[in-house]
Amino acid sequence: MGSRASTLLREEEIEEIKKETGFSHSQITRLYSRFTSLDKGENGTLGREDFQRIPELAINPLGDRIINAFFPEGEDQVNFRGFMRTLAHFRPIEDNEKNKDHTASEPLNSRSNKLLFAFRLYDLDRDDKISRDELLQVLRMMVGVNISDEQLGSIADRTIQEADQNGDNSISFNEFIKVLEKVDVEQKMSIRFLH
Amino acid sequence: MENSLKQRRGLQVWFSVMIGLIMIPAMFGLSLGVTSVYIQILVKILEWSTLRIQRGHRDRPTLPVPAPLPNGLIQREGGSMEHEMGELRRYRTQSISRGEFALSDSFYFYRKGLESIVDDQVTQRFSSEELVSWNLLTRTNHNFHYISLRLTVIWGLGVIIRYCVLFPLRITLAIIGLSWLVIGTSLVGFLPNRRVKNWLSELVHLMCYRICARGLSATIQYHNKNNKPQKGGICVANHTSPIDIVILANDGCYAMVGQSHSGLMGVIQRSMVRSCPHVWFERSEMRDRHAVTSRLRAHVAAKSNLPILIFPEGTCINNTSVMMFKKGSFEIGGTIYPVAIKYDPRFGDAFWNSAKYNMVSYLLRMMTSWAIVVNVWYLPPMTRQEGEDATKFANRVKSAIAHQGGLLDMAWDGSLKRDKVKEEFKEHQQKMYSSMVVGKKARTSQEPHTESTKR
């Protein structure tokens, strides 16, 4: 029940999460409610099937990739800290944070961290390069059966051609950033959380 | 020894007087007005407690208790896929020759996905509605913080009254009501005469449901009684709990439709059928949709039969929205009488979360709530129009019910409570996106892809 859940989140934990992710106190408490409502097994962690139970996510063509982003290398369960850490990438960049002290570690929701998040969703094997195969995989997930192999292949080739600058036939993170430098990442990769 | 005997007898007398005072008027549809006074007192207390809690929060602003947000945790960007993709691709200044694909296209799906993880429209419908303010029941207490002594005292009094006074009363009434249902209908079943039998059967059913309603302290307000379902029609309503049947049957007689159970439910079902025709299906029959439809059609065709009561959602929803209506009920033909049922959540949570509680614990929770306060609206009858298919008709009826009851009209299927969502919704999104990639040009190499999709 609800009352049990909120008492399990201690004040110190809330403070730590606040420092790490930048969410406010009430946002963290509400997201914890959401976390526990998804946690049908009631063991304090979420598995992949807990995410797949959300219909709107299950019909998202890239749903599986998004779910993967929550689970660190090789693990099957994610706890609340990990959940919040991933969600933090989608926090909007507030104005006061733009002028923040640059010697402090970069916040999770900075422009380049948002782009890194998106980059990692393409780059499945974590070799810091989006290969033609990896790009094709994501493309295939997005278009389903509606486009032929050939056409998809040429789309992938074209995309790599446009982005690739050092001629290794794959897209590195810097090349990725360069291609998308005019995209309003702050707005498009942010979710407006209500207080 | 003598004292305790006298006490026991005194208690028994008091008990039977109470039962008599409640039961007898209930059987004839009258009311002594006790329940309405009770409800009024409750409303006053709840309003006071709401103000007190709000004051408590104001005086101590450091209390980390966020109030539930009525519109969800996030503000959704409502653009369509086309609109959003267009915005994402705006930076592409160079000419797009063959494929219109941008690395940023995936951002649309990422954001949509994350939004649904944080807050989605569907999964919340399968758990109880969160109240705006605490209604002094332990079960709705999510963020209990001690506010004031008076509040705690009232809560404590409430517990005593609900569990020690109201609960035994209600259980007794429920048992009486159900036993009377079984006995009465079986007795009526022996009568041969048609008219007298029907009249008596209706009387017995009404009396029993009224006693059961008293057993829940149910206050029901019926609106637009002129639209009440007629014989030979089909009554269709939104489904929140098994108590819906008691609520509706308090004001009219219906032929119930459902699966035949064993045990106590089976006994009740079999005796009900003796006095007037209900439609009970064996489990095996339910799989055959044609058999089901033809039996219902036969029932409706006999114009003297009572109207059928059907809940097209197929499962209990938490009374904040109306989910997809299964089209089977709308293929039978005949006139549909839509009914909207809305419970007042302050007095008790009527939603049956069958994953969390079984029937018995659900009924116990019902009997230890404050009361059941419900509004029932009879909507004007609807029939299928020329050229309208069953699905469209079902949606039309659903919208009417949702609109009247102040509920959200949703297209999602209630069976998502247990089942997975159909693949075709994802395929639909993929198709939409593909048309944006292919664009108006390049119709040349367009063979359909036959390999299985890679992940």
Side-chain angles (χ1 to χ4, degrees):
Chain A
M1 235 174 55
S3 56
R4 183 177 54 82
S6 49
T7 53
L8 286 178
L9 193 63
R10 298 183 323 272
E11 273 301 313
E12 312 96 67
E13 266 197 82
I14 300 183
E15 283 302 312
E16 282 172 32
I17 297 177
K18 195 170 173 183
K19 236 186 284 177
E20 192 182 354
T21 61
F23 282 114
S24 75
H25 205 297
S26 58
Q27 285 169 344
I28 295 175
T29 323
R30 286 211 186 89
L31 286 167
Y32 189 67
S33 277
R34 173 65 173 168
F35 181 82
T36 44
S37 73
L38 291 173
D39 177 16
K40 289 286 187 285
E42 293 190 348
N43 52 0
T45 58
L46 294 178
R48 285 196 169 78
E49 65 288 350
D50 290 314
F51 285 100
Q52 276 152 0
R53 217 175 279 124
I54 305 172
E56 289 169 44
L57 188 61
I59 67 171
N60 189 316
L62 294 178
D64 283 343
R65 280 292 164 96
I66 297 170
I67 295 175
N68 257 345
F70 280 86
F71 295 89
E73 279 299 319
E75 290 187 22
D76 279 334
Q77 301 285 322
V78 58
N79 60 12
F80 184 57
R81 291 289 286 270
F83 182 72
M84 291 304 279
R85 218 172 281 136
T86 316
L87 283 183
H89 286 106
F90 279 77
R91 216 165 60 78
I93 302 176
E94 281 117 40
D95 278 19
N96 53 1
E97 280 191 342
K98 285 194 183 136
N99 306 326
K100 222 164 135 179
D101 178 20
H102 284 289
T103 56
S105 63
E106 209 173 353
L108 284 167
N109 64 336
S110 67
R111 184 197 161 86
S112 95
N113 270 328
K114 284 183 197 279
L115 282 169
L116 187 60
F117 182 80
F119 183 80
R120 291 231 172 97
L121 282 169
Y122 279 108
D123 178 24
L124 211 55
D125 61 2
R126 295 292 180 97
D127 62 351
D128 287 326
K129 286 205 291 264
I130 302 177
S131 66
R132 182 180 189 269
D133 265 341
E134 288 171 338
L135 187 56
L136 265 177
Q137 271 188 44
V138 176
L139 273 170
R140 184 51 73 196
M141 284 173 85
M142 287 201 277
V143 305
V145 303
N146 299 296
I147 298 185
S148 67
D149 272 341
E150 282 176 9
Q151 202 175 2
L152 217 57
S154 58
I155 292 175
D157 286 329
R158 184 137 216 101
T159 312
I160 294 184
Q161 223 177 20
E162 283 170 3
D164 192 14
Q165 282 165 357
N166 63 353
D168 62 352
N169 213 30
S170 60
I171 308 177
S172 72
F173 184 48
N174 285 324
E175 291 162 356
F176 189 73
I177 297 182
K178 193 91 207 321
V179 174
L180 299 174
E181 66 183 348
K182 292 215 186 75
V183 174
D184 185 4
V185 174
E186 282 90 347
Q187 209 248 326
K188 291 302 172 185
M189 289 276 280
S190 294
I191 301 177
R192 199 160 313 143
F193 289 90
L194 298 171
H195 280 283
Chain B
M1 257 326 271
E2 242 186 59
N3 263 340
S4 67
L5 212 65
K6 268 199 217 139
Q7 275 177 2
R8 270 244 305 276
R9 261 235 294 249
L11 209 63
Q12 278 174 354
V13 169
W14 176 84
F15 216 52
S16 2
V17 164
M18 288 297 290
I19 299 290
L21 275 180
I22 298 177
M23 231 182 71
I24 311 287
M27 282 163 54
F28 297 101
L30 305 165
S31 165
L32 289 176
V34 175
T35 318
S36 42
V37 172
Y38 169 61
I39 298 282
Q40 282 172 2
I41 299 178
L42 258 183
V43 170
K44 289 259 168 5
I45 295 181
L46 288 178
E47 281 173 0
W48 173 84
S49 80
T50 309
L51 288 173
R52 190 70 192 76
I53 295 175
Q54 280 174 355
R55 221 179 66 205
H57 283 175
R58 273 205 306 274
D59 292 344
R60 275 185 282 175
T62 56
L63 274 179
V65 178
L69 292 168
N71 295 320
L73 270 73
I74 51 179
Q75 182 176 337
R76 296 222 181 190
E77 309 295 312
S80 69
M81 194 195 278
E82 250 186 85
H83 173 81
E84 291 291 315
M85 289 294 180
E87 292 213 330
L88 277 165
R89 290 178 181 172
R90 233 187 298 158
Y91 72 95
R92 308 259 294 194
T93 48
Q94 66 260 51
S95 61
I96 323 286
S97 30
R98 292 274 293 282
E100 283 198 44
F101 168 71
L103 283 165
S104 54
D105 282 354
S106 51
F107 292 8
Y108 169 77
F109 292 113
Y110 295 153
R111 184 162 84 179
K112 271 254 138 47
L114 262 303
E115 279 177 351
S116 64
I117 291 177
V118 173
D119 193 17
D120 81 299
Q121 283 296 331
V122 183
T123 54
Q124 53 169 291
R125 311 290 165 194
F126 304 133
S127 59
S128 303
E129 188 184 354
E130 223 180 297
L131 291 170
V132 179
S133 174
W134 188 39
N135 65 345
L136 298 175
L137 293 174
T138 327
R139 60 191 70 147
T140 49
N141 196 346
H142 294 296
N143 295 301
F144 180 63
H145 278 265
Y146 176 82
I147 302 280
S148 85
L149 182 64
R150 239 185 287 178
L151 212 59
T152 318
V153 163
I154 294 201
W155 168 77
L157 268 175
V159 171
I160 297 176
I161 294 180
R162 279 183 296 121
Y163 280 85
C164 304
V165 176
L166 292 176
F167 179 57
L169 216 58
R170 288 173 181 171
I171 276 255
T172 324
L173 282 170
I175 295 177
I176 295 178
L178 282 177
S179 358
W180 179 226
L181 184 66
V182 174
I183 298 173
T185 47
S186 309
L187 285 177
V188 171
F190 285 123
L191 290 177
N193 190 328
R194 208 69 203 292
R195 265 188 56 194
V196 175
K197 183 176 181 184
N198 285 343
W199 178 75
L200 267 181
S201 149
E202 286 186 24
L203 199 66
V204 167
H205 275 105
L206 269 176
M207 282 203 301
C208 302
Y209 286 120
R210 285 188 181 137
I211 299 176
C212 287
R214 284 301 156 82
L216 294 164
S217 295
T219 305
I220 313 170
Q221 181 89 343
Y222 297 99
H223 305 263
N224 307 330
K225 282 203 187 189
N226 50 323
N227 290 327
K228 225 156 79 160
Q230 306 289 323
K231 290 204 170 122
I234 304 173
C235 176
V236 152
N238 58 315
H239 201 26
T240 309
S241 108
I243 294 182
D244 289 342
I245 302 177
V246 173
I247 303 285
L248 287 178
N250 253 273
D251 193 39
C253 290
Y254 298 93
M256 308 288 167
V257 177
Q259 213 182 331
S260 38
H261 289 96
S262 52
L264 182 62
M265 275 300 294
V267 171
I268 299 177
Q269 285 178 330
R270 280 192 294 275
S271 55
M272 280 169 76
V273 162
R274 279 198 206 111
S275 60
C276 73
H278 296 279
V279 190
W280 305 123
F281 290 104
E282 299 298 323
R283 179 151 240 171
S284 47
E285 276 181 286
M286 297 213 64
R287 296 189 197 285
D288 183 356
R289 266 190 49 200
H290 284 295
V292 170
T293 316
S294 53
R295 248 185 93 178
L296 290 174
R297 213 173 260 153
H299 183 107
V300 169
K303 289 292 177 189
S304 62
N305 278 338
L306 296 169
I308 316 178
L309 180 56
I310 296 187
F311 298 104
E313 281 166 313
T315 187
C316 293
I317 312 292
N318 77 347
N319 210 227
T320 55
S321 70
V322 184
M323 297 187 99
M324 188 181 95
F325 274 5
K326 299 200 193 309
K327 61 177 180 172
S329 331
F330 299 89
E331 288 172 337
I332 303 173
T335 326
I336 301 273
Y337 295 90
V339 178
I341 307 176
K342 180 87 178 96
Y343 291 87
D344 190 332
R346 290 178 297 171
F347 298 97
D349 170 31
F351 168 58
W352 181 30
N353 191 342
S354 47
K356 245 176 146 176
Y357 308 105
N358 60 13
M359 175 72 95
V360 176
S361 37
Y362 167 71
L363 285 174
L364 292 180
R365 275 166 64 93
M366 282 295 96
M367 291 187 189
T368 53
S369 316
W370 290 120
I372 308 283
V373 177
V374 55
N375 276 303
V376 174
W377 286 273
Y378 293 112
L379 285 103
M382 293 178 158
T383 40
R384 192 143 71 127
Q385 286 167 353
E386 277 296 319
E388 194 181 27
D389 69 349
T391 318
K392 273 223 189 71
F393 182 39
N395 285 334
R396 196 158 59 91
V397 175
K398 173 164 66 89
S399 303
I401 292 181
H403 182 73
Q404 177 66 23
L407 305 161
L408 200 62
D409 183 5
M410 290 178 59
W412 291 99
D413 191 345
S415 62
L416 286 172
K417 202 198 234 178
R418 282 176 262 273
D419 304 332
K420 291 209 154 163
V421 68
K422 293 202 192 111
E423 276 294 307
E424 53 189 57
F425 292 108
K426 185 192 282 198
E427 286 159 14
H428 175 75
Q429 287 214 45
Q430 287 169 329
K431 199 157 178 186
M432 257 200 337
Y433 175 65
S434 309
S435 63
M436 280 176 226
V437 171
V438 166
K440 298 169 195 113
K441 24 187 123 199
R443 290 272 171 216
T444 47
S445 50
Q446 264 277 48
E447 304 133 28
H449 178 70
T450 46
E451 266 179 48
S452 58
T453 54
K454 279 193 262 189
R455 282 296 156 92

